[in-house]
């Protein structure tokens, strides 16, 4: 009987140990959430200021004037305008990643004019005149641009603009001399210069270059067509005169400062990692 009792106790102890082994499972390693990195917030748009300098290859499309008792119109035989420099500034708004617009005010520095006509004068029936003057101009333009895409630090773009240009002609000095004897000349006299606002349109292309997150260099080309208008007034049986408009081919460089150009760091709440609960 004692032997049987010992066997039963040993069997019960063995079964209990096996059941305990089945019930016990080691606790799993806690799962750690992957760290969330701060992501830059996309900038939808923002205001910017710009400043530009450039060199303008100018072309005067021609000039004409009234002459004689019959007041008939004559073209200048020659009408040339020297190249000049430009400087300007403006304010704009970046609407989205590909579209922006601005308003600019530009100044065209003094460009010298020289021209000539032929006909009779006081010293001969065959004379050639020498006409000299100069002009400056202010342009106020509204512009829109398409930023094609960003490739590293470079963003090529195309654009167009419309507005007005106030062309300011200085006095035109006229001297007529005998064609056969250039030293035999009439007295020189001046025509009053004219100034007038004229419709202007522009086409642009270039590249923006990121210097910092809110500062960009802008290198490009701009074509402007300034319509014709008054040039000088009447005097000594000649005038008034008008020019036929200007073509300006400009190589430009400048800077743009974007007030909302730097990406902001997105806020990520620092929540504690929730530990698993085991039951």
């Amino acid at each position: 009987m004692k032997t049987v009792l010992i066997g039963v106790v040993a069997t019960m102890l063995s079964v209990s140990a096996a059941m305990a082994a089945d019930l016990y499972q080691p606790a799993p390693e806690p799962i750690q959430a992957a760290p969330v990195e701060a992501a830059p917030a996309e900038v939808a748009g923002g205001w910017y200021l710009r400043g530009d300098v450039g060199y303008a290859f100018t072309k005067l499309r021609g000039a004409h004037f009234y002459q004689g008792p019959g007041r008939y119109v004559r073209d200048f035989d020659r009408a040339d305008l020297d190249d000049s420099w430009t400087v300007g500034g403006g304010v704009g708004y970046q609407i989205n990643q590909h579209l922006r617009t601005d308003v600019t005010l530009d100044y065209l520095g003094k460009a010298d004019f020289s021209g000539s006509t032929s006909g009779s004068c006081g010293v001969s029936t065959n004379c050639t005149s020498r006409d000299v003057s100069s002009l400056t101009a202010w342009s106020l333009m509204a512009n829109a641009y398409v930023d094609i895409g960003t490739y590293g630090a470079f963003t090529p773009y195309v654009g167009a603009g419309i507005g007005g240009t106030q062309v300011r002609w200085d006095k035109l000095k006229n001297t007529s001399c005998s064609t056969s004897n250039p030293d035999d000349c009439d007295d020189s006299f001046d025509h009053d210069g004219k100034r007038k606002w004229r419709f202007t349109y522009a086409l642009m292309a270039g590249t923006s270059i990121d210097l910092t997150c809110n500062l960009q260099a802008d290198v490009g080309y701009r074509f402007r067509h300034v319509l014709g208008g008054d040039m000088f007034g009447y005097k000594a049986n000649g005038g008034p005169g008008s020019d036929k408009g200007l073509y300006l081919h400009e190589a430009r460089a400048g800077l743009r400062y974007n007030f909302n150009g730097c990406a902001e760091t997105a806020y990520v709440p620092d929540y504690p990692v929730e530990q698993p609960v085991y039951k």
Side-chain angles (χ1 to χ4, degrees), residues 159-178:
I162 59 172
T165 299
Q166 187 189 61
V167 178
R168 301 180 174 186
W169 280 102
D170 199 359
K171 291 181 178 180
L172 181 126
K173 184 176 182 179
N174 174 272
T175 304
S176 296
C177 302
S178 171

Side-chain angles (χ1 to χ4, degrees), residues 196-245:
K196 184 178 181 180
W197 282 96
R198 311 173 184 189
F199 177 77
T200 303
Y201 69 85
L203 301 172
M204 293 83 75
T207 300
S208 302
I209 306 168
D210 293 332
L211 302 179
T212 67
C213 59
N214 57 5
L215 185 65
Q216 294 175 311
D218 190 321
V219 180
Y221 163 80
R222 178 172 69 175
F223 166 78
R224 280 190 289 168
H225 180 192
V226 182
L227 297 189
D230 295 339
M231 183 176 177
F232 58 88
Y234 172 83
K235 190 170 185 179
N237 208 31
S242 301
D243 67 74
K244 299 180 181 180

Side-chain angles (χ1 to χ4, degrees), residues 11 34 44 52 75-77 80 83 86 146-147 166 188 193 230 276:
T11 301
D52 303 275
D75 283 342
F76 276 75
D77 298 337
D80 297 324
D83 299 336
T86 63
V146 176
D147 292 326
Q166 187 189 61
S188 298
D230 295 339

Side-chain angles (χ1 to χ4, degrees), residues 43 45-49 91-92 214 256-262 264:
V43 179
W47 293 98
Y48 64 84
L49 294 176
V91 58
N214 57 5
R256 295 205 313 267
Y257 181 85
N258 301 275
F259 290 99
N260 198 27
C262 294
E264 298 177 359

